[in-house]
Each structure stands twice: as structure tokens, then as C-alpha cells.
């Protein structure tokens, strides 16, 4: 089979021949039909001290099941998070991290919706979004952000605002259901909001916190880092909450499954539509990483083996 690898920080990425892996206990061997490209993986390639296995979200068909697997069988269509080599023709999924793809959805829908949608949904849950509240989403045109905009609206937000790096993304964000779209460099991000979902971090944390109304909640769900002054929290009784999807998947599988079912329900009803910016062949992986790394994408970037 083919898989993508690199040998030093920053790449280059290349496709090599490798043996098809064998599923161990509790694992599924999946023939990949779609592979999601995410900013955390792109960052690891450019920043990690040692090369990593390029894992992430995949979707495809079960080829074989390891010992102890009970929920899936060969030919089932599935999606899930791969913690090994996922940029490949075949990849391994742990059964606990795997979900079925329902009828009416294809592999690209699944890889664009499930992991990114779960992060977006979980971040809104962490923010305790209530009906009628105003929600602001940074990186609103990203794979997660564009779903968060739609989910905030579907969950009854009174006002939804997107924030982006490039004004060329504004029409895309408004078409998702946002009432307005701000640029990061704007002096003000408009009227205060009750919740901010932040995927950027760094220097953007300060204006994101300033956008909150008193008693507002900011949820950070990315690895961008950044610092805040405690006084800025105290004066408005504001909260900053960290959210990581992996902790839910491993520690609360019941909640993970509940959210997954809700995402597919909204998809079936037409209230949630994942947007795919581009699909790249496996050998064009460098172009896929460039689209994410330069923040050029409007929606999800997908590899197709």
C-alpha cells in the first residue's frame, strides 16, 4: 500500500510503499476513501522535534477486524480517528473511536463532519450556550469553524458572528448563517457576545476576551497558546474554558455517541452541511498541507487515496 511519511521537521512529505497493517485486538483495518487534513497535524509536521505518524480523521470501508471487535464487520462503512498512519491506502482504527456512516452520507461527508463537528458541538456545550445568546466563532471559515457557525444557529443562537483573517472569506461565512463577519484586525468586533469559540489563540485571545459581555464564556479548543491577564477576567466576571475532544471520546463514550447521533440528525434534516474546500490525491499531500497552513481554506480539506 501507499502511505505518506517525512523524515525531518518541516518535511518534505513523500509517498512510500509500506506493508498493509494487521488489526490487533479491538482494532479495525479500514480501506481509506477520505482522509481529513487538520491544522494540528500540519503544525506537528512543521514544529515537532521528531517526525510523527500522520494520523487523524479517516473514513472508508472495513476490510478486517481484530480479536474482540463486536460492533463492526467487513464491508461496513465507518469513520473515526486514527492515531497511527492515517495518510495511507489502509489504516487502523480502534473500535471505541469508530462510528458508522449512515445511509445518505458518503466518506467525504463523514470525514468532514464527524471529528470537526464533534469538536464544534463539544465547544458549544462547554460554553453552555443557551437559546437566544450571541455566539462569536474565530477561524469561522475553517473545517471546525464553519460547522460551529451552523451549529450555533441550529441550537438557537440569537446572533452568530464569525471572525476571519481575510475579508474574502466573509461572504462564505455569512452564507453559513452568520449575521455578521469581522476581521481580526478590526478595532471592534461589534456588540458584545455571550460565548466565544476560539481556535486561534496567541495574540487573538485579547480581542476575543474583549468581545465578551459580562459573565461571558470563552472556549479555547486549539493549540495556539497565548496568555491572558487575570484582571481582564475579574472585571467582567468572564470565564475561559479549555476543551479537548479526545478527553470526551476516551472518558465519556456515552456523550461522544450522543453528540455524534445529533450531528447526523442535523445533517439528515439539512441544518448542517459540511463544506469541502478541496480534495487532493494522496501524492498531492503537500498542496493539501499548504492550503491549511496558509489559512486559504473555506471548509474542509480532504485527501482521496
Amino acid at each position: 500500500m501507499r502511505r505518506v511519511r517525512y523524515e525531518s521537521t518541516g518535511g518534505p512529505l513523500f509517498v512510500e510503499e509500506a506493508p498493509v497493517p494487521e488489526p490487533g485486538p479491538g482494532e479495525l483495518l479500514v480501506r481509506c476513501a477520505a482522509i481529513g487534513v487538520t491544522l494540528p497535524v500540519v503544525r506537528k509536521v512543521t514544529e515537532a522535534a521528531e517526525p510523527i505518524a500522520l494520523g487523524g480523521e479517516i473514513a472508508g470501508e472495513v476490510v478486517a477486524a481484530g480479536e474482540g471487535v463486536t460492533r463492526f464487520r467487513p464491508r461496513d462503512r465507518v469513520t473515526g480517528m486514527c492515531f497511527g498512519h492515517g495518510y495511507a491506502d489502509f489504516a487502523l482504527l480502534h473500535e471505541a473511536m469508530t462510528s458508522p456512516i449512515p445511509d445518505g452520507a458518503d466518506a467525504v461527508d463523514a470525514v468532514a463532519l464527524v471529528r470537526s463537528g464533534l469538536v464544534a458541538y463539544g465547544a458549544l456545550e462547554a460554553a453552555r450556550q443557551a437559546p437566544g445568546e450571541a455566539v462569536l466563532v474565530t477561524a469561522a471559515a475553517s473545517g471546525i469553524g464553519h460547522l460551529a457557525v451552523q451549529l450555533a444557529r441550529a441550537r438557537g443562537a440569537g446572533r452568530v458572528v464569525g471572525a476571519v483573517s481575510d475579508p474574502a472569506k466573509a461572504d462564505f461565512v455569512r452564507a453559513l448563517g452568520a449575521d455578521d463577519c469581522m476581521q481580526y484586525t478590526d478595532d471592534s468586533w461589534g456588540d458584545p457576545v455571550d460565548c466565544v469559540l476560539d481556535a486561534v489563540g496567541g495574540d487573538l485571545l485579547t480581542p476575543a476576551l474583549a468581545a465578551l459581555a459580562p459573565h461571558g464564556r470563552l472556549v479555547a479548543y486549539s493549540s495556539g497558546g497565548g496568555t491572558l491577564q487575570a484582571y481582564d477576567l475579574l472585571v467582567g466576571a468572564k470565564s475561559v474554558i479549555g476543551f479537548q475532544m479526545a478527553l470526551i471520546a476516551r472518558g465519556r463514550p456515552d456523550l461522544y455517541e450522543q453528540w455524534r447521533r445529533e450531528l447526523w440528525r442535523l445533517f439528515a434534516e439539512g441544518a448542517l452541511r459540511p463544506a469541502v474546500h478541496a480534495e487532493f490525491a494522496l501524492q498531492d499531500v503537500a498542496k493539501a498541507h499548504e492550503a491549511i497552513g496558509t489559512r486559504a481554506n473555506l471548509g474542509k480539506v480532504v485527501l482521496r487515496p
Side-chain angles (χ1 to χ4, degrees), residues 109-122:
D109 290 329
V111 85
L113 177 67
V114 173
R115 183 261 178 189
S116 296
L118 284 167
V119 173
Y121 196 95

Side-chain angles (χ1 to χ4, degrees), residues 10-25:
L13 302 171
F14 59 90
V15 177
E16 66 175 6
E17 289 295 322
V20 176
E22 295 186 5

Side-chain angles (χ1 to χ4, degrees), residues 76-189:
D76 283 350
R77 298 189 311 134
V78 297
T79 186
M81 286 294 293
C82 171
F83 294 103
H85 287 280
Y87 284 26
D89 290 319
F90 295 88
L92 296 174
L93 291 179
H94 291 286
E95 182 181 25
M97 300 294 291
T98 303
S99 303
I101 301 175
D103 294 340
D106 62 22
V108 173
D109 290 329
V111 85
L113 177 67
V114 173
R115 183 261 178 189
S116 296
L118 284 167
V119 173
Y121 196 95
L124 287 166
E125 286 284 297
R128 305 186 305 279
Q129 178 208 351
E133 289 191 323
V135 178
L136 185 145
V137 179
T138 68
S142 68
I144 294 173
H146 88 284
L147 295 174
V149 168
Q150 297 176 68
L151 284 168
R153 178 64 72 202
R155 290 163 55 101
R159 181 166 57 95
V160 181
V161 181
V164 295
S165 58
D166 187 340
K169 299 179 178 181
D171 288 345
F172 172 76
V173 172
R174 290 190 179 95
L176 299 170
D179 298 289
D180 205 352
C181 187
M182 318 302 296
Q183 294 180 56
Y184 298 152
T185 55
D186 288 343
D187 292 335
S188 170
W189 288 359

